[in-house]
Amino acid sequence: MSDTKQTLTSIWQLSSHDKPYPHLDQDIEVDVAVVGGGITGLTSAYLLAQSGKKVAVLDAGSFGRGTTGHSTAKLTIQHDFIYDELLSHLGKEKAQQYYQSQQDALTFVRNLVQKNNVECGFSDEDTYLYATTHHGEHRLKREKKAYEQLSIPHEWVTDLPINMKIRAALKVPNQAQFHPLAYLSFLCDELDKKGAHLFENTVCKKVSHKKGSVLVHANDGHTVTAKQIIAATHFPFIDGGGLYMSRMKADRSYVVAGTSSDSWAGGMYLSAEQPKRSLRGVSMNGKHYILVGGDHHKAGQGIDARNHYDALRTFADEQFNDFQAEQEWSAQDLTTLDNIPYIGPLSSLQANVFIATGYRKWGMTGGVTAAHVLADLIVDGNSLYADLYKPMRFHSDPSMKHFLTENADVAKHLIQGKLQNDYEDVRELDNGQGAVVKHNGKRAGAFKDDEGALHLVDTTCTHMGCECNWNHADLTWDCPCHGSRFSYKGEVIEGPAKEPLKKLD
């Protein structure tokens, strides 16, 4: 793998043959415009089209190539230690709703795949939340009590199907895994059959309102006029006074896929302890891969990202015989103040604009849940889970604590970035290297590609002015404040930033 090639390509992307779709090249009018072509957006569009709505889906890149295409693609209701937390802070009714909504999502995907014989590597699997320490086992016991209160099917075990020593694990049966891009390809085909408009490589910059309709403005000047719009763009591309940048944090995590001489016993696994370790298997092109994930940190604030990949490789080497890493990639996930996604109307002033975000690394069931909530709100005017997920909620505990902590962290990094003075010498950069340098007396970002060409950008994030840091492993400029990411050329990879970094001579 070339040092200067962005290592953002997942095993799903390497093994999928996507049908290309055109970009928006004219003004159109539909019932619902969906911005974002991941699992949330395409599932929303599918449900709306099934109900008879005229739908358009627009994506800044290619469908599924964002967060969905970088997932480990687990379909499970076992979302780390969420249920004990929900019972403690929100009570049994809302904890039960969260579980049921995620179970509904899993059941929906399973039924859709089976009914239509979708070839997407779907397999039923047991999931395991396992502990290797006394503290981890104590947390597992508390989570087990929450399962019992909520009637979540589970089993307490002291051994795993794979060769790993543990103290205990919570096993949840009848969960699933799949190939996310193969599944999305099916949804796109179904949308095609329904006459939906599908547009790729169409960047949506803003929305406006006119005579009860909402206009989505693309960057080339064309518009989509709709009765409602859904922003399913990972980080909402519109804010509408919701201050979502201050009510979510962005975390990066890493995945290494490789082969082993060990036979894979099945199952999906997540460690109770930090640093997190996630495991699942997948057969592809006649080979069986083990996906090892984890090592998360706040976006733009980790150590050299190469170290995170190395840590996962070391874990895999210790756990599996003859492990040979073949592919690696990173993912970015958003977490809300209370760990429950924001799904619903953007704000009380824009009730015909809907958002879905903040899945906290559980976007496969989370995205399908969001699609059902949004489709119900648009078609029926209500959803059983609307109150649980409403975006404008604010719980004093733990929301206030997290709100203050996260925004204090943003302020700290905003100031630190402006004060940095440990610049590299651009003349000492080797091909394939990037660094913060001084250019004409000011802070700048430099990258030298394989041919020795120098790419200089202003490292000031175009979102709110924080200074971006260099990510050596992915060859990107990452903002430590709100998680915006840019290519070494300055192009936007992840929001909330909409504009590229300024190029310097």
Side-chain angles (χ1 to χ4, degrees), residues 305-375:
R306 181 73 259 159
N307 293 345
H308 296 293
Y309 289 118
D310 291 344
L312 294 179
R313 286 175 182 244
T314 298
F315 173 83
D317 288 339
E318 294 171 348
Q319 187 61 46
F320 304 106
N321 290 314
D322 305 316
F323 184 82
Q324 297 292 321
E326 295 197 11
Q327 187 63 25
E328 58 190 24
W329 67 93
S330 59
Q332 188 148 304
D333 295 277
L334 297 167
T335 300
T336 68
L337 294 175
D338 57 9
N339 290 333
I340 302 173
Y342 296 139
I343 306 167
L346 179 68
S347 69
S348 58
L349 298 177
Q350 298 192 56
N352 55 353
V353 178
F354 299 85
I355 66 162
T357 186
Y359 301 134
R360 198 177 64 97
K361 298 182 175 68
W362 302 105
M364 297 300 97
T365 52
V368 176
T369 294
H372 278 84
V373 171
L374 297 177

Side-chain angles (χ1 to χ4, degrees), residues 400-468:
M400 181 57 75
K401 175 184 175 182
H402 291 170
F403 178 83
L404 295 174
T405 300
E406 290 305 317
N407 286 284
D409 184 68
V410 168
K412 179 185 76 173
H413 281 89
L414 176 62
I415 295 170
Q416 283 181 347
K418 303 302 182 185
L419 296 178
Q420 178 184 353
N421 55 18
D422 51 334
Y423 303 114
E424 301 286 340
D425 189 333
V426 69
R427 294 169 296 183
E428 296 180 1
L429 288 180
D430 293 329
N431 290 0
Q433 284 188 337
V436 175
V437 300
K438 183 172 284 188
H439 175 68
N440 291 336
K442 295 182 179 181
R443 190 184 201 271
F447 175 77
K448 190 176 288 187
D449 65 25
D450 284 342
E451 286 71 42
L454 187 65
H455 303 267
L456 280 174
V457 297
D458 185 338
T459 59
T460 304
C461 180
T462 55
H463 175 227
M464 287 196 67
C466 294
E467 296 298 332
C468 295

Side-chain angles (χ1 to χ4, degrees), residues 105-409:
L106 171 55
T107 301
F108 170 81
V109 176
R110 176 181 283 121
N111 290 343
L112 194 64
V113 169
Q114 292 176 350
K115 179 181 178 181
N116 295 278
N117 296 314
V118 182
E119 295 182 4
C120 62
F122 186 96
S123 63
D124 294 315
E125 304 284 347
D126 297 332
T127 60
Y128 299 84
L129 182 59
Y130 69 88
T132 58
T133 65
H134 175 75
H135 176 67
E137 184 180 4
H138 176 70
R139 293 192 70 193
L140 274 185
K141 289 178 178 178
R142 290 173 52 188
E143 190 72 359
K144 183 179 188 299
K145 290 181 179 179
Y147 282 22
E148 291 167 351
Q149 289 188 56
L150 299 172
S151 300
I152 299 175
H154 69 281
E155 184 180 348
W156 183 267
V157 299
T158 54
D159 294 295
L160 296 178
I162 60 175
N163 184 26
M164 179 185 291
K165 291 183 179 180
I166 63 168
R167 292 181 67 97
L170 270 177
K171 171 185 173 181
V172 177
N174 204 31
Q175 306 299 284
Q177 62 184 29
F178 68 162
H179 187 311
L181 298 189
Y183 177 75
L184 292 192
S185 180
F186 162 77
L187 292 182
C188 287
D189 288 343
E190 291 299 301
L191 285 165
D192 256 344
K193 294 175 185 176
K194 290 286 185 182
H197 300 276
L198 301 177
F199 300 108
E200 295 183 323
N201 301 308
T202 303
V203 178
C204 300
K205 290 294 186 73
K206 64 178 182 177
V207 301
S208 62
H209 300 263
K210 183 178 181 180
K211 296 180 180 179
S213 295
V214 189
L215 279 68
V216 180
H217 299 265
N219 61 346
D220 61 357
H222 293 297
T223 61
V224 177
T225 302
K227 297 181 179 69
Q228 293 101 0
I229 74 163
I230 293 174
T233 51
H234 189 44
F235 195 103
F237 79 103
I238 44 177
D239 188 86
L243 297 176
Y244 293 101
M245 64 186 177
S246 66
R247 298 198 292 127
M248 291 192 292
K249 67 172 182 176
D251 279 337
R252 292 206 66 72
S253 54
Y254 302 84
V255 184
V256 172
T259 60
S260 168
S261 59
D262 295 339
S263 60
W264 180 251
M268 304 183 296
Y269 306 86
L270 181 68
S271 65
E273 294 84 11
Q274 299 286 354
K276 287 291 182 180
R277 293 292 179 262
S278 167
L279 296 167
R280 66 157 286 189
V282 59
S283 293
M284 202 172 287
N285 300 325
K287 297 173 70 173
H288 190 84
Y289 297 91
I290 299 171
L291 274 55
V292 183
D295 246 48
H296 75 91
H297 62 86
K298 192 168 183 184
Q301 298 185 22
I303 57 177
D304 185 341
R306 181 73 259 159
N307 293 345
H308 296 293
Y309 289 118
D310 291 344
L312 294 179
R313 286 175 182 244
T314 298
F315 173 83
D317 288 339
E318 294 171 348
Q319 187 61 46
F320 304 106
N321 290 314
D322 305 316
F323 184 82
Q324 297 292 321
E326 295 197 11
Q327 187 63 25
E328 58 190 24
W329 67 93
S330 59
Q332 188 148 304
D333 295 277
L334 297 167
T335 300
T336 68
L337 294 175
D338 57 9
N339 290 333
I340 302 173
Y342 296 139
I343 306 167
L346 179 68
S347 69
S348 58
L349 298 177
Q350 298 192 56
N352 55 353
V353 178
F354 299 85
I355 66 162
T357 186
Y359 301 134
R360 198 177 64 97
K361 298 182 175 68
W362 302 105
M364 297 300 97
T365 52
V368 176
T369 294
H372 278 84
V373 171
L374 297 177
D376 286 347
L377 288 171
I378 290 171
V379 175
D380 302 325
N382 196 17
S383 165
L384 178 64
Y385 307 117
D387 187 61
L388 172 66
Y389 292 112
K390 63 182 180 183
M392 296 311 294
R393 69 182 183 272
F394 194 90
H395 303 297
S396 59
D397 184 17
S399 295
M400 181 57 75
K401 175 184 175 182
H402 291 170
F403 178 83
L404 295 174
T405 300
E406 290 305 317
N407 286 284
D409 184 68

Side-chain angles (χ1 to χ4, degrees), residues 80-111:
D80 209 341
F81 290 101
I82 189 65
Y83 295 104
D84 177 59
E85 179 181 332
L86 293 179
L87 282 172
S88 299
H89 295 299
L90 300 181
K92 185 175 181 179
E93 181 181 359
K94 282 189 165 50
Q96 189 76 54
Q97 286 184 333
Y98 182 91
Y99 161 63
Q100 191 58 56
S101 66
Q102 304 299 314
Q103 181 61 49
D104 291 348
L106 171 55
T107 301
F108 170 81
V109 176
R110 176 181 283 121
N111 290 343

